[in-house]
Each structure stands twice: as C-alpha cells, then as structure tokens.
Amino acid sequence: MTRTVLVTGGTSGIGRAVAARFAADRAEVYITGRHADTVEQAAKELGVHGVTCDATDPGQVAALAARFGALDVLVNAAGGLPGPTPDDVPPLEGVLAQWRANLAQNLLGAVLTTASVQDKLGPGGTVLSIGSIGAERRGGSYGAAKAALAAWSASLSGELGPRGITANVISAGYIAGTNFFQGRMTDERHASLVGETHDKRPGTVDDIAETAYFLASPGARHITGQTIHVNGGAFTTR
C-alpha cells in the first residue's frame, strides 16, 4: 500500500533528504515551505507534491490539513535559526523577539501542524519531529525551544499511542551541508564539532533521513515517546 507522507520544511537540508527517502520508497510525499518558488523547485526536483505553507500560521496550516483525507507519516522538519533582531530594538524587546521567534519556528509550528492532521492518522501512523543536540547544551533560546519540542512529543506519544500511532523526536547533532548556520560556519568550528564525535565525522542529512525512515517502519512500532540522538557520540551535557 502506498503511504502518504507530509514533510514540513521539505525544501532543503534535513527535510528535503527525508522527503527524498520516502519518495524513493514510492510514497506519496508532500513537502511544505514558506516560499512558493523554492517549494515549486524542490517539489519538481524530488518528484513530490509541494505546498506553500508557513507552519506558524494557523490559517495556512488548516488549509494544508484540508488537502488530506488520510495521512500515514508526518515529519515536522520545519525550523532553524530565526534571522537577527534589528539593532534599533530596545534590549529587552530584542530578547523577547528572539525567544518568540525560536519558539514559533521550532515548537509551535510542529504543534500546530500535528494538531491539524492528527485525526487523519490511523493505526500504524507516525509523527516525527526534528530536534537538536542544542536542547541539552549551549542552545540558548533555540535549544530551549527544541527541549520543549521533546517534552511535547513525549506527551503526544501518550495521547496517540492507544490509537497505534507513534511519536518520536530525532535529535540531530552537527549536520554538515545544510544552511542551518547561515554562512557562519568556520573551519575551526567545523573541526571542533567533528572532534566532539566518537566517529570523527560530521553528520549528514542522510543519517537523519534513514533514521526517520526506520522510525516510520513496521520494525519500530514499539518505539514511541523517545528522543533518538543521532550525533556520532557527541552527546554530553556541557
């Protein structure tokens, strides 16, 4: 049976790799993004459906959900670091804006999207959310939002579990080759992050995509309410 898969933030990076992995399995895949041009281009390149949707906008999320009669897999991959706060904003207003932006992009978008489609998931369904090693260390407002994502997902698992639906977080370590660092990754920082791993290599988007594919497979039906760390052994609290 062909599965229907929704990947938010599926135009680049981890989300795109996840969408490609499910598409390779001949699933009917839908990707979302905030910008129509990038959504259209990515959907064409991947051979999937593209929908322009800001996951933090309730109206757009409701319209997205209305497209589905049933859904098998939801991957909340939308998120990342918000843009910088303007210099002319008073300090405390800047702090508030930064925290609100991180909570919106990295927590509330996943909550809204999941709430909009969870009744369309049936037994054997899967909800996955992309977390971060920043939830446990040096994460600031971004890490706090990802930590809240994990707490919410654990609660969601308890809610959906009796219906045969799993809910997990994939907590990614340093993943090379994405636009997460917005051009601010240096050779020194790269070397430091790789040096923290046990296998002495950066993570790849395919590492996360393969984990997502497994967690949505029949072999992972008793794995729920968990945060799965994919970081090459770099997980330590600092």
Side-chain angles (χ1 to χ4, degrees), residues 156-181:
L156 180 71
S157 173
E159 179 183 349
L160 300 182
R163 293 171 46 196
I165 302 165
T166 60
N168 292 291
V169 168
I170 302 172
S171 180
Y174 170 45
I175 304 296
T178 75
N179 59 7
F180 175 81
F181 290 95

Side-chain angles (χ1 to χ4, degrees), residues 88-221:
D88 59 351
V89 173
L92 286 181
E93 290 187 17
V95 171
L96 182 59
Q98 180 189 57
W99 278 78
R100 280 178 169 167
N102 267 299
L103 287 169
Q105 288 186 207
N106 295 293
L107 171 64
L108 299 181
V111 172
L112 287 174
T113 303
T114 304
S116 74
V117 300
Q118 67 182 47
D119 289 343
K120 302 174 186 289
L121 291 160
T126 301
V127 178
L128 298 172
S129 300
I130 305 301
S132 170
I133 194 172
E136 284 81 19
R137 59 177 187 178
R138 301 178 304 199
S141 54
Y142 168 79
K146 290 298 192 182
L149 181 75
W152 162 76
S153 181
S155 176
L156 180 71
S157 173
E159 179 183 349
L160 300 182
R163 293 171 46 196
I165 302 165
T166 60
N168 292 291
V169 168
I170 302 172
S171 180
Y174 170 45
I175 304 296
T178 75
N179 59 7
F180 175 81
F181 290 95
Q182 301 171 4
R184 296 194 294 269
M185 174 58 67
T186 64
D187 291 342
E188 292 77 13
R189 181 63 173 151
H190 170 86
S192 175
L193 292 171
V194 170
E196 292 176 354
T197 67
H198 293 177
D199 53 9
K200 304 309 174 189
R201 71 166 178 86
T204 69
V205 293
D206 290 336
D207 290 326
I208 307 302
E210 290 293 345
T211 303
Y213 184 77
F214 167 68
L215 289 172
S217 73
R221 299 319 303 166

Side-chain angles (χ1 to χ4, degrees), residues 11-86:
T11 62
S12 64
I14 289 173
R16 182 184 174 111
V18 170
R21 181 64 184 87
F22 281 100
D25 192 43
R26 300 184 179 179
E28 186 171 8
V29 179
Y30 292 76
I31 61 170
T32 72
R34 290 177 292 172
H35 305 291
D37 55 343
T38 56
V39 170
E40 181 179 358
Q41 180 178 349
K44 182 178 180 180
E45 291 171 352
L46 293 171
V48 302
H49 305 281
V51 183
T52 304
C53 179
D54 181 343
T56 68
D57 184 311
Q60 293 185 41
V61 172
L64 170 68
R67 293 173 173 265
F68 300 99
L71 188 65
D72 298 292
V73 181
L74 167 63
V75 183
N76 292 305
L81 296 175
T85 303

